[in-house]
Amino acid sequence: MVDDNTDRRRTDEMSLDELREEIRTIDRDIVELIAQRTYVAEAIADVKDERGLPTTDEEQEQAVMDRAGENAEQFDVDSNLVKAVFRLLIELNKVEQRESR
């Protein structure tokens, strides 16, 4: 769980430039995690292709969306926003999977 009071104290003591640098670091980390997720999704696509499985797995997609919502609540982030991001990631992965077949 995120300690809001500690985060606020820490950020209250940072300059605007330091806060912007923090955002740049976080943005880079987000892109790195998206790249890692994409790599794993490509591996999943290969396994699906080898096994003759369909690209879309609605049950798995729902499980991902449920986890996204739970994680959003855990970190006190808007659940709809997080789910929208994950829906986009899932759709992009599905497009890539279809194109690679």
Side-chain angles (χ1 to χ4, degrees):
M1 194 79 159
V2 175
D3 182 354
D4 288 336
N5 292 328
T6 301
D7 282 347
R8 281 194 194 110
R9 276 194 306 272
R10 186 173 67 82
T11 57
D12 286 346
E13 297 168 3
M14 296 173 76
S15 71
L16 182 59
D17 287 340
E18 290 171 323
L19 290 166
R20 287 179 173 157
E21 181 59 34
E22 183 79 8
I23 289 289
R24 281 190 287 273
T25 299
I26 292 167
D27 289 349
R28 185 193 176 285
D29 292 345
I30 290 170
V31 172
E32 181 180 359
L33 290 170
I34 290 170
Q36 289 175 4
R37 189 181 196 286
T38 300
Y39 174 78
V40 173
E42 288 170 359
I44 289 170
D46 291 342
V47 171
K48 286 180 176 181
D49 192 40
E50 289 171 6
R51 297 181 182 177
L53 298 172
T55 301
T56 301
D57 181 343
E58 292 180 17
E59 187 175 311
Q60 181 60 27
E61 288 178 28
Q62 187 59 52
V64 170
M65 298 303 288
D66 291 345
R67 278 195 314 269
E70 291 166 8
N71 288 330
E73 290 175 13
Q74 179 183 357
F75 290 102
D76 196 28
V77 178
D78 184 292
S79 178
N80 289 325
L81 173 64
V82 171
K83 287 180 179 182
V85 169
F86 274 82
R87 174 58 52 206
L88 179 59
L89 290 170
I90 289 169
E91 290 305 316
L92 290 172
N93 289 142
K94 288 185 343 186
V95 167
E96 287 181 20
Q97 285 180 25
R98 284 188 209 108
E99 289 176 355
S100 69
R101 287 190 164 195

